[in-house]
Amino acid sequence: MSNGTGGPTSDGAVGGVLWVVATPIGNMDDMSPRALAVLGSVDLVAAEDTRRTGLLLTRQGIRARMVSLHEHNEEARVPRLVRALSEGRTVALVSDAGTPLISDPGFRLVAAAAEAGVVVRPIPGPSAVTAALSVAGLPTDRFVFEGFLPARAGARRASLERVRFEPRTLVWLESAHRIVASLADAAEVLGSERRAVLARELTKRYETVLRGSLEELSRRVASDPEQQKGEFVLIVEGGTEPPPMGRPVDDVLDALLAELPVKQAVRLAAVVTGEKKNTLYRRALQRRQDWASE
Ligand code: SAM
């Protein structure tokens, strides 16, 4: 194992240590002493936004050498960072807020470092996902994290359709721009009566946790501009309806769409799968779009 600060290891691992460090999602007091110690001692901090992390470090009295690592440069930066790690340097990976890799950059770096035999160690801490789940009051023994819902309405509804029969608790991240539309679509596709929790601005001044049916949350947020501001996690209870019998809906739809015009394909798919026609119609248009962009 690594000795924690880099240098020689006794299990065949090479070089330094890549620390994956969680940072606060709002409240700076959530920065752990261990995170501070690592950020203050590594050779290099790989940050999603060096300006933002710079401010965080300065506030804590830490001076660190930084390099930017975000979704647009990660692929290009990884070889250099892995080389530095293999040569014995220590690197801390941080994102703008919360836990790196959870809908944040870092996956390529972690994968490449592990592949190169470098020790990768977590400094666990805040994440919007676990913070929201911890106060939701919905079953959390099993859950499905779906990241962000797609921005375009068609793709968003199709994405919701795919999890309509998922029995585990569902978790999405959402931004202020789309929260109203996403709640309305979730109510329509998943069912207006499903229990849901909307966690907003967790650990910050305007922290709000709304609980109710999807319909209630959708109405509440649509009618209150204050509830549309900030950062959100949407949690929805899993489905209780059994999935429709027969072949997977997409298989049936794809086979029919390959031979028939959309309307006819949808009519037959509804008979075969027992799915609603308007659901299938949206799905069919999405499938066509997906094929066109492949
Ligand atoms: N890696 C981060 C984490 O572990 O929390 C998530 C990064 S993701 C790019 C950012 C999204 O997380 C926001 O758009 C929002 O959906 C959610 N989020 C971040 N901070 C939040 C907070 N304080 N309250 C609620 N949601 C938050």
Side-chain angles (χ1 to χ4, degrees):
M1 286 300 294
S2 145
N3 62 11
T5 56
T9 62
S10 58
D11 65 352
V14 295
V17 176
L18 173 61
W19 295 95
V20 182
V21 182
T23 56
I25 57 169
N27 189 323
M28 290 304 137
D29 288 346
D30 291 337
M31 191 81 187
S32 78
R34 201 164 159 245
L36 289 174
V38 163
L39 289 169
S41 67
V42 287
D43 297 313
L44 194 60
V45 174
E48 185 179 4
D49 177 344
T50 50
R51 220 173 57 89
R52 196 169 162 150
T53 300
L55 288 175
L56 174 77
L57 296 183
T58 307
R59 209 173 291 138
Q60 305 285 351
I62 292 173
R63 284 167 62 95
R65 234 185 102 209
M66 280 194 283
V67 60
S68 77
L69 189 87
H70 46 71
E71 59 169 313
H72 305 295
N73 73 0
E74 185 173 353
E75 203 158 343
R77 285 273 153 95
V78 162
R80 201 181 107 201
L81 284 167
V82 171
R83 207 173 315 122
L85 284 158
S86 302
E87 287 166 7
R89 305 251 158 62
T90 51
V91 176
L93 169 67
V94 293
S95 60
D96 284 353
T99 301
L101 278 81
I102 308 300
S103 286
D104 265 342
F107 158 70
R108 292 187 185 89
L109 176 60
V110 168
E115 174 74 12
V118 169
V119 174
V120 184
R121 299 191 67 186
I123 304 288
S127 173
V129 177
T130 48
L133 278 166
S134 72
V135 293
L138 290 172
T140 45
D141 46 346
R142 288 188 172 78
F143 63 88
V144 180
F145 176 52
E146 281 281 300
F148 284 95
L149 276 167
R152 284 184 302 118
R156 181 166 61 236
R157 291 196 198 119
S159 170
L160 287 162
E161 302 279 6
R162 278 196 287 274
V163 292
R164 195 168 117 204
F165 299 102
E166 170 58 60
R168 291 168 291 186
T169 296
L170 296 152
V171 184
W172 286 275
L173 301 176
E174 195 46 276
S175 69
H177 315 295
R178 287 191 287 272
I179 190 63
V180 171
S182 288
L183 279 171
D185 285 345
E188 190 190 320
V189 176
L190 302 176
S192 52
E193 294 309 313
R194 281 242 207 150
R195 281 189 305 158
V197 175
L198 186 64
R200 180 176 82 97
E201 294 288 273
L202 292 173
T203 78
K204 303 188 212 175
R205 181 161 175 204
Y206 295 108
E207 177 178 289
T208 323
V209 179
L210 299 178
R211 298 181 176 81
S213 69
L214 273 172
E215 177 74 26
E216 286 164 349
L217 292 189
S218 175
R219 278 175 200 272
R220 170 78 208 279
V221 174
S223 66
D224 183 352
E226 284 307 308
Q227 292 301 322
Q228 298 166 20
K229 294 180 184 162
E231 300 188 284
F232 302 85
V233 181
L234 173 63
I235 305 188
V236 179
E237 74 175 337
T240 47
E241 262 180 75
M245 299 286 281
R247 289 183 66 77
V249 173
D250 279 349
D251 287 2
V252 175
L253 203 50
D254 286 356
L256 292 169
L257 281 171
E259 305 291 335
L260 298 168
V262 173
K263 266 195 176 165
Q264 220 175 331
V266 164
R267 197 162 44 76
L268 288 175
V271 174
V272 176
T273 64
E275 260 298 348
K276 286 190 215 141
K277 271 196 213 144
N278 60 355
T279 301
L280 288 167
Y281 191 70
R282 277 201 301 266
R283 190 81 199 114
L285 297 183
Q286 182 61 39
R287 298 300 279 175
R288 287 240 154 138
Q289 251 178 35
D290 291 347
W291 294 343
S293 59
E294 268 167 17

